[in-house]
Amino acid sequence: MTELLEGGCRCGASRYTLSVAAMPEVYCCHCHYCQSWSGSAFTQQVIVPTEALTATGPIVTYGYDTDSGATSTHRFCGTCHTRLWNDNTRLPGYIVVRAGTLDASDTLVPAAHIWVKRKQTWIVIDAGVPQFAESAPPAEFLAIVLR
Ligand SMILES: [Zn+2]
Ligand SMILES: [Zn+2]
């Protein structure tokens, strides 16, 4: 069975649908880039196959080269500038969706945390949830978050 997950930006002009077998596993990134970009303590992401996404609205892009030499291309609402998803040349065939933009964001429970060496000290992570000081080893990480 296919589940259709809906999401969108703050102003409502940009909307998307994820056509997936199940709700993807969510992970949190506590790195400084994510803190400054979100203006918050961490970001929440889900990784889904590129073909799962259908989007409408005035979506604009911003690309940059990461510290590790990959190219990351981000998609935003061109009206309110909410960051919606990105792809990365190190993970072809998949996109990384800002999970806080899902309509059901109040139901999310993280399955992993990365860059916890940079997390805010008040955040206490459940001992049963995998956490990584920096980026996780790709194979180990994808085994946790990909469904
Ligand atoms: Zn918008
Ligand atoms: Zn980050």
mmCIF file with all atom_site columns, all heavy atoms in Angstrom, residues 1-6 18 20-26 45-48 99-100 102-109 145-147:
data_model
loop_
_atom_site.group_PDB
_atom_site.id
_atom_site.type_symbol
_atom_site.label_atom_id
_atom_site.label_alt_id
_atom_site.label_comp_id
_atom_site.label_asym_id
_atom_site.label_entity_id
_atom_site.label_seq_id
_atom_site.pdbx_PDB_ins_code
_atom_site.Cartn_x
_atom_site.Cartn_y
_atom_site.Cartn_z
_atom_site.occupancy
_atom_site.B_iso_or_equiv
_atom_site.pdbx_formal_charge
_atom_site.auth_seq_id
_atom_site.auth_comp_id
_atom_site.auth_asym_id
_atom_site.auth_atom_id
_atom_site.pdbx_PDB_model_num
ATOM 1   N N   . MET A 1 1   ? 0.842  -1.184 0.000  1.00 0.00 ? 1   MET A N   1
ATOM 2   C CA  . MET A 1 1   ? 0.000  0.000  0.000  1.00 0.00 ? 1   MET A CA  1
ATOM 3   C C   . MET A 1 1   ? 0.883  1.242  0.000  1.00 0.00 ? 1   MET A C   1
ATOM 4   O O   . MET A 1 1   ? 1.913  1.273  0.635  1.00 0.00 ? 1   MET A O   1
ATOM 5   C CB  . MET A 1 1   ? -0.890 -0.001 1.244  1.00 0.00 ? 1   MET A CB  1
ATOM 6   C CG  . MET A 1 1   ? -2.092 0.926  1.113  1.00 0.00 ? 1   MET A CG  1
ATOM 7   S SD  . MET A 1 1   ? -3.077 0.953  2.643  1.00 0.00 ? 1   MET A SD  1
ATOM 8   C CE  . MET A 1 1   ? -2.497 2.478  3.364  1.00 0.00 ? 1   MET A CE  1
ATOM 9   N N   . THR A 1 2   ? 0.445  2.240  -0.729 1.00 0.00 ? 2   THR A N   1
ATOM 10  C CA  . THR A 1 2   ? 1.204  3.481  -0.781 1.00 0.00 ? 2   THR A CA  1
ATOM 11  C C   . THR A 1 2   ? 0.526  4.545  0.063  1.00 0.00 ? 2   THR A C   1
ATOM 12  O O   . THR A 1 2   ? -0.681 4.732  0.002  1.00 0.00 ? 2   THR A O   1
ATOM 13  C CB  . THR A 1 2   ? 1.309  3.976  -2.231 1.00 0.00 ? 2   THR A CB  1
ATOM 14  O OG1 . THR A 1 2   ? 1.941  2.970  -3.004 1.00 0.00 ? 2   THR A OG1 1
ATOM 15  C CG2 . THR A 1 2   ? 2.134  5.254  -2.309 1.00 0.00 ? 2   THR A CG2 1
ATOM 16  N N   . GLU A 1 3   ? 1.360  5.213  0.853  1.00 0.00 ? 3   GLU A N   1
ATOM 17  C CA  . GLU A 1 3   ? 0.865  6.293  1.698  1.00 0.00 ? 3   GLU A CA  1
ATOM 18  C C   . GLU A 1 3   ? 1.201  7.610  1.013  1.00 0.00 ? 3   GLU A C   1
ATOM 19  O O   . GLU A 1 3   ? 2.263  7.743  0.404  1.00 0.00 ? 3   GLU A O   1
ATOM 20  C CB  . GLU A 1 3   ? 1.589  6.220  3.045  1.00 0.00 ? 3   GLU A CB  1
ATOM 21  C CG  . GLU A 1 3   ? 0.778  6.722  4.208  1.00 0.00 ? 3   GLU A CG  1
ATOM 22  C CD  . GLU A 1 3   ? 1.510  6.493  5.527  1.00 0.00 ? 3   GLU A CD  1
ATOM 23  O OE1 . GLU A 1 3   ? 2.195  5.464  5.671  1.00 0.00 ? 3   GLU A OE1 1
ATOM 24  O OE2 . GLU A 1 3   ? 1.386  7.368  6.384  1.00 0.00 ? 3   GLU A OE2 1
ATOM 25  N N   . LEU A 1 4   ? 0.329  8.571  1.081  1.00 0.00 ? 4   LEU A N   1
ATOM 26  C CA  . LEU A 1 4   ? 0.601  9.889  0.522  1.00 0.00 ? 4   LEU A CA  1
ATOM 27  C C   . LEU A 1 4   ? 0.769  10.867 1.674  1.00 0.00 ? 4   LEU A C   1
ATOM 28  O O   . LEU A 1 4   ? -0.160 11.103 2.432  1.00 0.00 ? 4   LEU A O   1
ATOM 29  C CB  . LEU A 1 4   ? -0.548 10.336 -0.387 1.00 0.00 ? 4   LEU A CB  1
ATOM 30  C CG  . LEU A 1 4   ? -0.742 9.517  -1.666 1.00 0.00 ? 4   LEU A CG  1
ATOM 31  C CD1 . LEU A 1 4   ? -1.933 10.033 -2.442 1.00 0.00 ? 4   LEU A CD1 1
ATOM 32  C CD2 . LEU A 1 4   ? 0.507  9.559  -2.534 1.00 0.00 ? 4   LEU A CD2 1
ATOM 33  N N   . LEU A 1 5   ? 1.980  11.365 1.803  1.00 0.00 ? 5   LEU A N   1
ATOM 34  C CA  . LEU A 1 5   ? 2.269  12.328 2.859  1.00 0.00 ? 5   LEU A CA  1
ATOM 35  C C   . LEU A 1 5   ? 2.287  13.722 2.251  1.00 0.00 ? 5   LEU A C   1
ATOM 36  O O   . LEU A 1 5   ? 2.987  13.964 1.269  1.00 0.00 ? 5   LEU A O   1
ATOM 37  C CB  . LEU A 1 5   ? 3.619  12.022 3.508  1.00 0.00 ? 5   LEU A CB  1
ATOM 38  C CG  . LEU A 1 5   ? 3.773  10.621 4.101  1.00 0.00 ? 5   LEU A CG  1
ATOM 39  C CD1 . LEU A 1 5   ? 5.197  10.424 4.590  1.00 0.00 ? 5   LEU A CD1 1
ATOM 40  C CD2 . LEU A 1 5   ? 2.784  10.416 5.236  1.00 0.00 ? 5   LEU A CD2 1
ATOM 41  N N   . GLU A 1 6   ? 1.560  14.624 2.850  1.00 0.00 ? 6   GLU A N   1
ATOM 42  C CA  . GLU A 1 6   ? 1.457  15.984 2.318  1.00 0.00 ? 6   GLU A CA  1
ATOM 43  C C   . GLU A 1 6   ? 2.291  16.936 3.156  1.00 0.00 ? 6   GLU A C   1
ATOM 44  O O   . GLU A 1 6   ? 2.431  16.769 4.369  1.00 0.00 ? 6   GLU A O   1
ATOM 45  C CB  . GLU A 1 6   ? 0.000  16.459 2.389  1.00 0.00 ? 6   GLU A CB  1
ATOM 46  C CG  . GLU A 1 6   ? -1.008 15.509 1.765  1.00 0.00 ? 6   GLU A CG  1
ATOM 47  C CD  . GLU A 1 6   ? -1.181 15.735 0.278  1.00 0.00 ? 6   GLU A CD  1
ATOM 48  O OE1 . GLU A 1 6   ? -0.889 16.867 -0.167 1.00 0.00 ? 6   GLU A OE1 1
ATOM 49  O OE2 . GLU A 1 6   ? -1.569 14.791 -0.411 1.00 0.00 ? 6   GLU A OE2 1
ATOM 50  N N   . LEU A 1 18  ? 4.553  13.218 -0.863 1.00 0.00 ? 18  LEU A N   1
ATOM 51  C CA  . LEU A 1 18  ? 5.497  12.107 -0.892 1.00 0.00 ? 18  LEU A CA  1
ATOM 52  C C   . LEU A 1 18  ? 4.688  10.825 -1.013 1.00 0.00 ? 18  LEU A C   1
ATOM 53  O O   . LEU A 1 18  ? 3.840  10.536 -0.175 1.00 0.00 ? 18  LEU A O   1
ATOM 54  C CB  . LEU A 1 18  ? 6.340  12.064 0.387  1.00 0.00 ? 18  LEU A CB  1
ATOM 55  C CG  . LEU A 1 18  ? 7.153  13.323 0.716  1.00 0.00 ? 18  LEU A CG  1
ATOM 56  C CD1 . LEU A 1 18  ? 7.892  13.124 2.039  1.00 0.00 ? 18  LEU A CD1 1
ATOM 57  C CD2 . LEU A 1 18  ? 8.117  13.648 -0.408 1.00 0.00 ? 18  LEU A CD2 1
ATOM 58  N N   . VAL A 1 20  ? 4.970  7.199  -0.613 1.00 0.00 ? 20  VAL A N   1
ATOM 59  C CA  . VAL A 1 20  ? 5.894  6.266  0.032  1.00 0.00 ? 20  VAL A CA  1
ATOM 60  C C   . VAL A 1 20  ? 5.134  5.079  0.610  1.00 0.00 ? 20  VAL A C   1
ATOM 61  O O   . VAL A 1 20  ? 3.929  5.153  0.863  1.00 0.00 ? 20  VAL A O   1
ATOM 62  C CB  . VAL A 1 20  ? 6.691  6.964  1.157  1.00 0.00 ? 20  VAL A CB  1
ATOM 63  C CG1 . VAL A 1 20  ? 7.676  7.970  0.575  1.00 0.00 ? 20  VAL A CG1 1
ATOM 64  C CG2 . VAL A 1 20  ? 5.768  7.655  2.150  1.00 0.00 ? 20  VAL A CG2 1
ATOM 65  N N   . ALA A 1 21  ? 5.872  3.981  0.832  1.00 0.00 ? 21  ALA A N   1
ATOM 66  C CA  . ALA A 1 21  ? 5.255  2.769  1.376  1.00 0.00 ? 21  ALA A CA  1
ATOM 67  C C   . ALA A 1 21  ? 4.880  2.956  2.846  1.00 0.00 ? 21  ALA A C   1
ATOM 68  O O   . ALA A 1 21  ? 3.926  2.368  3.330  1.00 0.00 ? 21  ALA A O   1
ATOM 69  C CB  . ALA A 1 21  ? 6.197  1.594  1.214  1.00 0.00 ? 21  ALA A CB  1
ATOM 70  N N   . ALA A 1 22  ? 5.648  3.769  3.559  1.00 0.00 ? 22  ALA A N   1
ATOM 71  C CA  . ALA A 1 22  ? 5.398  3.993  4.982  1.00 0.00 ? 22  ALA A CA  1
ATOM 72  C C   . ALA A 1 22  ? 6.003  5.342  5.352  1.00 0.00 ? 22  ALA A C   1
ATOM 73  O O   . ALA A 1 22  ? 6.824  5.886  4.621  1.00 0.00 ? 22  ALA A O   1
ATOM 74  C CB  . ALA A 1 22  ? 6.030  2.897  5.819  1.00 0.00 ? 22  ALA A CB  1
ATOM 75  N N   . MET A 1 23  ? 5.597  5.860  6.489  1.00 0.00 ? 23  MET A N   1
ATOM 76  C CA  . MET A 1 23  ? 6.174  7.093  6.991  1.00 0.00 ? 23  MET A CA  1
ATOM 77  C C   . MET A 1 23  ? 7.676  6.888  7.149  1.00 0.00 ? 23  MET A C   1
ATOM 78  O O   . MET A 1 23  ? 8.116  5.966  7.826  1.00 0.00 ? 23  MET A O   1
ATOM 79  C CB  . MET A 1 23  ? 5.546  7.431  8.350  1.00 0.00 ? 23  MET A CB  1
ATOM 80  C CG  . MET A 1 23  ? 6.067  8.699  8.967  1.00 0.00 ? 23  MET A CG  1
ATOM 81  S SD  . MET A 1 23  ? 5.588  10.163 8.035  1.00 0.00 ? 23  MET A SD  1
ATOM 82  C CE  . MET A 1 23  ? 6.654  11.380 8.803  1.00 0.00 ? 23  MET A CE  1
ATOM 83  N N   . PRO A 1 24  ? 8.500  7.708  6.495  1.00 0.00 ? 24  PRO A N   1
ATOM 84  C CA  . PRO A 1 24  ? 9.954  7.507  6.601  1.00 0.00 ? 24  PRO A CA  1
ATOM 85  C C   . PRO A 1 24  ? 10.461 7.785  8.015  1.00 0.00 ? 24  PRO A C   1
ATOM 86  O O   . PRO A 1 24  ? 9.817  8.493  8.791  1.00 0.00 ? 24  PRO A O   1
ATOM 87  C CB  . PRO A 1 24  ? 10.518 8.550  5.622  1.00 0.00 ? 24  PRO A CB  1
ATOM 88  C CG  . PRO A 1 24  ? 9.366  9.005  4.801  1.00 0.00 ? 24  PRO A CG  1
ATOM 89  C CD  . PRO A 1 24  ? 8.143  8.817  5.638  1.00 0.00 ? 24  PRO A CD  1
ATOM 90  N N   . GLU A 1 25  ? 11.616 7.189  8.329  1.00 0.00 ? 25  GLU A N   1
ATOM 91  C CA  . GLU A 1 25  ? 12.243 7.453  9.620  1.00 0.00 ? 25  GLU A CA  1
ATOM 92  C C   . GLU A 1 25  ? 12.849 8.864  9.608  1.00 0.00 ? 25  GLU A C   1
ATOM 93  O O   . GLU A 1 25  ? 13.496 9.271  8.646  1.00 0.00 ? 25  GLU A O   1
ATOM 94  C CB  . GLU A 1 25  ? 13.347 6.426  9.902  1.00 0.00 ? 25  GLU A CB  1
ATOM 95  C CG  . GLU A 1 25  ? 12.832 5.008  10.050 1.00 0.00 ? 25  GLU A CG  1
ATOM 96  C CD  . GLU A 1 25  ? 12.099 4.770  11.360 1.00 0.00 ? 25  GLU A CD  1
ATOM 97  O OE1 . GLU A 1 25  ? 11.933 5.708  12.151 1.00 0.00 ? 25  GLU A OE1 1
ATOM 98  O OE2 . GLU A 1 25  ? 11.696 3.619  11.588 1.00 0.00 ? 25  GLU A OE2 1
ATOM 99  N N   . VAL A 1 26  ? 12.654 9.570  10.683 1.00 0.00 ? 26  VAL A N   1
ATOM 100 C CA  . VAL A 1 26  ? 13.125 10.948 10.803 1.00 0.00 ? 26  VAL A CA  1
ATOM 101 C C   . VAL A 1 26  ? 14.446 10.974 11.556 1.00 0.00 ? 26  VAL A C   1
ATOM 102 O O   . VAL A 1 26  ? 14.639 10.221 12.514 1.00 0.00 ? 26  VAL A O   1
ATOM 103 C CB  . VAL A 1 26  ? 12.103 11.791 11.597 1.00 0.00 ? 26  VAL A CB  1
ATOM 104 C CG1 . VAL A 1 26  ? 12.590 13.220 11.758 1.00 0.00 ? 26  VAL A CG1 1
ATOM 105 C CG2 . VAL A 1 26  ? 10.759 11.756 10.909 1.00 0.00 ? 26  VAL A CG2 1
ATOM 106 N N   . GLN A 1 45  ? 14.911 15.709 9.266  1.00 0.00 ? 45  GLN A N   1
ATOM 107 C CA  . GLN A 1 45  ? 14.890 15.310 7.871  1.00 0.00 ? 45  GLN A CA  1
ATOM 108 C C   . GLN A 1 45  ? 14.315 13.910 7.698  1.00 0.00 ? 45  GLN A C   1
ATOM 109 O O   . GLN A 1 45  ? 14.441 13.071 8.601  1.00 0.00 ? 45  GLN A O   1
ATOM 110 C CB  . GLN A 1 45  ? 16.322 15.274 7.293  1.00 0.00 ? 45  GLN A CB  1
ATOM 111 C CG  . GLN A 1 45  ? 16.875 16.583 6.841  1.00 0.00 ? 45  GLN A CG  1
ATOM 112 C CD  . GLN A 1 45  ? 17.400 17.435 7.996  1.00 0.00 ? 45  GLN A CD  1
ATOM 113 O OE1 . GLN A 1 45  ? 17.086 18.606 8.076  1.00 0.00 ? 45  GLN A OE1 1
ATOM 114 N NE2 . GLN A 1 45  ? 18.168 16.856 8.894  1.00 0.00 ? 45  GLN A NE2 1
ATOM 115 N N   . VAL A 1 46  ? 13.756 13.655 6.511  1.00 0.00 ? 46  VAL A N   1
ATOM 116 C CA  . VAL A 1 46  ? 13.472 12.292 6.063  1.00 0.00 ? 46  VAL A CA  1
ATOM 117 C C   . VAL A 1 46  ? 14.081 12.130 4.675  1.00 0.00 ? 46  VAL A C   1
ATOM 118 O O   . VAL A 1 46  ? 14.117 13.076 3.883  1.00 0.00 ? 46  VAL A O   1
ATOM 119 C CB  . VAL A 1 46  ? 11.966 11.959 6.014  1.00 0.00 ? 46  VAL A CB  1
ATOM 120 C CG1 . VAL A 1 46  ? 11.368 11.908 7.410  1.00 0.00 ? 46  VAL A CG1 1
ATOM 121 C CG2 . VAL A 1 46  ? 11.195 12.943 5.145  1.00 0.00 ? 46  VAL A CG2 1
ATOM 122 N N   . ILE A 1 47  ? 14.587 10.939 4.395  1.00 0.00 ? 47  ILE A N   1
ATOM 123 C CA  . ILE A 1 47  ? 15.177 10.627 3.091  1.00 0.00 ? 47  ILE A CA  1
ATOM 124 C C   . ILE A 1 47  ? 14.198 9.733  2.340  1.00 0.00 ? 47  ILE A C   1
ATOM 125 O O   . ILE A 1 47  ? 13.773 8.690  2.868  1.00 0.00 ? 47  ILE A O   1
ATOM 126 C CB  . ILE A 1 47  ? 16.535 9.925  3.263  1.00 0.00 ? 47  ILE A CB  1
ATOM 127 C CG1 . ILE A 1 47  ? 17.509 10.846 4.001  1.00 0.00 ? 47  ILE A CG1 1
ATOM 128 C CG2 . ILE A 1 47  ? 17.103 9.532  1.900  1.00 0.00 ? 47  ILE A CG2 1
ATOM 129 C CD1 . ILE A 1 47  ? 18.851 10.198 4.327  1.00 0.00 ? 47  ILE A CD1 1
ATOM 130 N N   . VAL A 1 48  ? 13.827 10.158 1.143  1.00 0.00 ? 48  VAL A N   1
ATOM 131 C CA  . VAL A 1 48  ? 12.890 9.373  0.323  1.00 0.00 ? 48  VAL A CA  1
ATOM 132 C C   . VAL A 1 48  ? 13.414 9.306  -1.110 1.00 0.00 ? 48  VAL A C   1
ATOM 133 O O   . VAL A 1 48  ? 14.189 10.175 -1.531 1.00 0.00 ? 48  VAL A O   1
ATOM 134 C CB  . VAL A 1 48  ? 11.462 9.982  0.339  1.00 0.00 ? 48  VAL A CB  1
ATOM 135 C CG1 . VAL A 1 48  ? 10.879 10.003 1.743  1.00 0.00 ? 48  VAL A CG1 1
ATOM 136 C CG2 . VAL A 1 48  ? 11.450 11.368 -0.270 1.00 0.00 ? 48  VAL A CG2 1
ATOM 137 N N   . ALA A 1 99  ? 11.589 17.653 7.442  1.00 0.00 ? 99  ALA A N   1
ATOM 138 C CA  . ALA A 1 99  ? 10.411 16.954 7.965  1.00 0.00 ? 99  ALA A CA  1
ATOM 139 C C   . ALA A 1 99  ? 9.452  17.878 8.708  1.00 0.00 ? 99  ALA A C   1
ATOM 140 O O   . ALA A 1 99  ? 8.264  17.587 8.802  1.00 0.00 ? 99  ALA A O   1
ATOM 141 C CB  . ALA A 1 99  ? 10.856 15.805 8.861  1.00 0.00 ? 99  ALA A CB  1
ATOM 142 N N   . GLY A 1 100 ? 9.961  18.989 9.198  1.00 0.00 ? 100 GLY A N   1
ATOM 143 C CA  . GLY A 1 100 ? 9.077  19.944 9.868  1.00 0.00 ? 100 GLY A CA  1
ATOM 144 C C   . GLY A 1 100 ? 8.081  20.601 8.937  1.00 0.00 ? 100 GLY A C   1
ATOM 145 O O   . GLY A 1 100 ? 7.146  21.260 9.389  1.00 0.00 ? 100 GLY A O   1
ATOM 146 N N   . LEU A 1 102 ? 6.247  18.785 6.883  1.00 0.00 ? 102 LEU A N   1
ATOM 147 C CA  . LEU A 1 102 ? 5.134  17.848 6.688  1.00 0.00 ? 102 LEU A CA  1
ATOM 148 C C   . LEU A 1 102 ? 3.914  18.334 7.466  1.00 0.00 ? 102 LEU A C   1
ATOM 149 O O   . LEU A 1 102 ? 4.032  18.858 8.582  1.00 0.00 ? 102 LEU A O   1
ATOM 150 C CB  . LEU A 1 102 ? 5.528  16.449 7.179  1.00 0.00 ? 102 LEU A CB  1
ATOM 151 C CG  . LEU A 1 102 ? 6.522  15.691 6.295  1.00 0.00 ? 102 LEU A CG  1
ATOM 152 C CD1 . LEU A 1 102 ? 7.147  14.540 7.063  1.00 0.00 ? 102 LEU A CD1 1
ATOM 153 C CD2 . LEU A 1 102 ? 5.830  15.186 5.029  1.00 0.00 ? 102 LEU A CD2 1
ATOM 154 N N   . ASP A 1 103 ? 2.748  18.152 6.890  1.00 0.00 ? 103 ASP A N   1
ATOM 155 C CA  . ASP A 1 103 ? 1.523  18.557 7.594  1.00 0.00 ? 103 ASP A CA  1
ATOM 156 C C   . ASP A 1 103 ? 1.406  17.826 8.932  1.00 0.00 ? 103 ASP A C   1
ATOM 157 O O   . ASP A 1 103 ? 0.899  18.380 9.905  1.00 0.00 ? 103 ASP A O   1
ATOM 158 C CB  . ASP A 1 103 ? 0.292  18.263 6.735  1.00 0.00 ? 103 ASP A CB  1
ATOM 159 C CG  . ASP A 1 103 ? 0.230  19.142 5.490  1.00 0.00 ? 103 ASP A CG  1
ATOM 160 O OD1 . ASP A 1 103 ? 0.998  20.138 5.423  1.00 0.00 ? 103 ASP A OD1 1
ATOM 161 O OD2 . ASP A 1 103 ? -0.575 18.830 4.592  1.00 0.00 ? 103 ASP A OD2 1
ATOM 162 N N   . ALA A 1 104 ? 1.877  16.566 8.978  1.00 0.00 ? 104 ALA A N   1
ATOM 163 C CA  . ALA A 1 104 ? 1.789  15.763 10.204 1.00 0.00 ? 104 ALA A CA  1
ATOM 164 C C   . ALA A 1 104 ? 3.068  15.860 11.027 1.00 0.00 ? 104 ALA A C   1
ATOM 165 O O   . ALA A 1 104 ? 3.474  14.896 11.682 1.00 0.00 ? 104 ALA A O   1
ATOM 166 C CB  . ALA A 1 104 ? 1.494  14.309 9.848  1.00 0.00 ? 104 ALA A CB  1
ATOM 167 N N   . SER A 1 105 ? 3.726  17.011 11.009 1.00 0.00 ? 105 SER A N   1
ATOM 168 C CA  . SER A 1 105 ? 5.005  17.151 11.731 1.00 0.00 ? 105 SER A CA  1
ATOM 169 C C   . SER A 1 105 ? 4.855  16.925 13.230 1.00 0.00 ? 105 SER A C   1
ATOM 170 O O   . SER A 1 105 ? 5.829  16.600 13.906 1.00 0.00 ? 105 SER A O   1
ATOM 171 C CB  . SER A 1 105 ? 5.612  18.532 11.461 1.00 0.00 ? 105 SER A CB  1
ATOM 172 O OG  . SER A 1 105 ? 4.724  19.548 11.875 1.00 0.00 ? 105 SER A OG  1
ATOM 173 N N   . ASP A 1 106 ? 3.644  17.066 13.747 1.00 0.00 ? 106 ASP A N   1
ATOM 174 C CA  . ASP A 1 106 ? 3.444  16.848 15.186 1.00 0.00 ? 106 ASP A CA  1
ATOM 175 C C   . ASP A 1 106 ? 3.504  15.370 15.562 1.00 0.00 ? 106 ASP A C   1
ATOM 176 O O   . ASP A 1 106 ? 3.523  15.037 16.747 1.00 0.00 ? 106 ASP A O   1
ATOM 177 C CB  . ASP A 1 106 ? 2.117  17.465 15.644 1.00 0.00 ? 106 ASP A CB  1
ATOM 178 C CG  . ASP A 1 106 ? 0.917  16.916 14.889 1.00 0.00 ? 106 ASP A CG  1
ATOM 179 O OD1 . ASP A 1 106 ? 1.084  16.459 13.734 1.00 0.00 ? 106 ASP A OD1 1
ATOM 180 O OD2 . ASP A 1 106 ? -0.190 16.941 15.451 1.00 0.00 ? 106 ASP A OD2 1
ATOM 181 N N   . THR A 1 107 ? 3.568  14.477 14.570 1.00 0.00 ? 107 THR A N   1
ATOM 182 C CA  . THR A 1 107 ? 3.616  13.038 14.865 1.00 0.00 ? 107 THR A CA  1
ATOM 183 C C   . THR A 1 107 ? 5.028  12.469 14.769 1.00 0.00 ? 107 THR A C   1
ATOM 184 O O   . THR A 1 107 ? 5.234  11.286 15.006 1.00 0.00 ? 107 THR A O   1
ATOM 185 C CB  . THR A 1 107 ? 2.713  12.249 13.882 1.00 0.00 ? 107 THR A CB  1
ATOM 186 O OG1 . THR A 1 107 ? 3.269  12.355 12.561 1.00 0.00 ? 107 THR A OG1 1
ATOM 187 C CG2 . THR A 1 107 ? 1.286  12.790 13.892 1.00 0.00 ? 107 THR A CG2 1
ATOM 188 N N   . LEU A 1 108 ? 6.010  13.275 14.407 1.00 0.00 ? 108 LEU A N   1
ATOM 189 C CA  . LEU A 1 108 ? 7.355  12.766 14.137 1.00 0.00 ? 108 LEU A CA  1
ATOM 190 C C   . LEU A 1 108 ? 8.073  12.358 15.420 1.00 0.00 ? 108 LEU A C   1
ATOM 191 O O   . LEU A 1 108 ? 8.013  13.069 16.428 1.00 0.00 ? 108 LEU A O   1
ATOM 192 C CB  . LEU A 1 108 ? 8.184  13.831 13.408 1.00 0.00 ? 108 LEU A CB  1
ATOM 193 C CG  . LEU A 1 108 ? 7.613  14.345 12.080 1.00 0.00 ? 108 LEU A CG  1
ATOM 194 C CD1 . LEU A 1 108 ? 8.513  15.430 11.515 1.00 0.00 ? 108 LEU A CD1 1
ATOM 195 C CD2 . LEU A 1 108 ? 7.434  13.207 11.086 1.00 0.00 ? 108 LEU A CD2 1
ATOM 196 N N   . VAL A 1 109 ? 8.780  11.233 15.355 1.00 0.00 ? 109 VAL A N   1
ATOM 197 C CA  . VAL A 1 109 ? 9.632  10.767 16.459 1.00 0.00 ? 109 VAL A CA  1
ATOM 198 C C   . VAL A 1 109 ? 10.982 10.401 15.841 1.00 0.00 ? 109 VAL A C   1
ATOM 199 O O   . VAL A 1 109 ? 11.066 9.480  15.028 1.00 0.00 ? 109 VAL A O   1
ATOM 200 C CB  . VAL A 1 109 ? 9.018  9.542  17.167 1.00 0.00 ? 109 VAL A CB  1
ATOM 201 C CG1 . VAL A 1 109 ? 9.938  9.079  18.287 1.00 0.00 ? 109 VAL A CG1 1
ATOM 202 C CG2 . VAL A 1 109 ? 7.629  9.856  17.700 1.00 0.00 ? 109 VAL A CG2 1
ATOM 203 N N   . VAL A 1 145 ? 17.638 4.933  8.595  1.00 0.00 ? 145 VAL A N   1
ATOM 204 C CA  . VAL A 1 145 ? 16.628 5.920  8.172  1.00 0.00 ? 145 VAL A CA  1
ATOM 205 C C   . VAL A 1 145 ? 15.908 5.575  6.868  1.00 0.00 ? 145 VAL A C   1
ATOM 206 O O   . VAL A 1 145 ? 14.853 6.136  6.603  1.00 0.00 ? 145 VAL A O   1
ATOM 207 C CB  . VAL A 1 145 ? 17.231 7.334  8.061  1.00 0.00 ? 145 VAL A CB  1
ATOM 208 C CG1 . VAL A 1 145 ? 17.734 7.804  9.416  1.00 0.00 ? 145 VAL A CG1 1
ATOM 209 C CG2 . VAL A 1 145 ? 18.313 7.402  7.007  1.00 0.00 ? 145 VAL A CG2 1
ATOM 210 N N   . LEU A 1 146 ? 16.485 4.684  6.050  1.00 0.00 ? 146 LEU A N   1
ATOM 211 C CA  . LEU A 1 146 ? 15.803 4.375  4.781  1.00 0.00 ? 146 LEU A CA  1
ATOM 212 C C   . LEU A 1 146 ? 14.798 3.259  4.991  1.00 0.00 ? 146 LEU A C   1
ATOM 213 O O   . LEU A 1 146 ? 15.091 2.263  5.637  1.00 0.00 ? 146 LEU A O   1
ATOM 214 C CB  . LEU A 1 146 ? 16.817 3.948  3.719  1.00 0.00 ? 146 LEU A CB  1
ATOM 215 C CG  . LEU A 1 146 ? 17.554 5.037  2.966  1.00 0.00 ? 146 LEU A CG  1
ATOM 216 C CD1 . LEU A 1 146 ? 18.382 4.401  1.854  1.00 0.00 ? 146 LEU A CD1 1
ATOM 217 C CD2 . LEU A 1 146 ? 16.604 6.069  2.391  1.00 0.00 ? 146 LEU A CD2 1
ATOM 218 N N   . ARG A 1 147 ? 13.626 3.432  4.421  1.00 0.00 ? 147 ARG A N   1
ATOM 219 C CA  . ARG A 1 147 ? 12.634 2.363  4.473  1.00 0.00 ? 147 ARG A CA  1
ATOM 220 C C   . ARG A 1 147 ? 12.211 2.003  3.082  1.00 0.00 ? 147 ARG A C   1
ATOM 221 O O   . ARG A 1 147 ? 12.100 2.873  2.246  1.00 0.00 ? 147 ARG A O   1
ATOM 222 C CB  . ARG A 1 147 ? 11.395 2.833  5.223  1.00 0.00 ? 147 ARG A CB  1
ATOM 223 C CG  . ARG A 1 147 ? 11.564 2.898  6.693  1.00 0.00 ? 147 ARG A CG  1
ATOM 224 C CD  . ARG A 1 147 ? 10.195 2.796  7.252  1.00 0.00 ? 147 ARG A CD  1
ATOM 225 N NE  . ARG A 1 147 ? 10.095 3.132  8.640  1.00 0.00 ? 147 ARG A NE  1
ATOM 226 C CZ  . ARG A 1 147 ? 8.921  3.145  9.271  1.00 0.00 ? 147 ARG A CZ  1
ATOM 227 N NH1 . ARG A 1 147 ? 7.821  2.896  8.624  1.00 0.00 ? 147 ARG A NH1 1
ATOM 228 N NH2 . ARG A 1 147 ? 8.859  3.422  10.537 1.00 0.00 ? 147 ARG A NH2 1
#
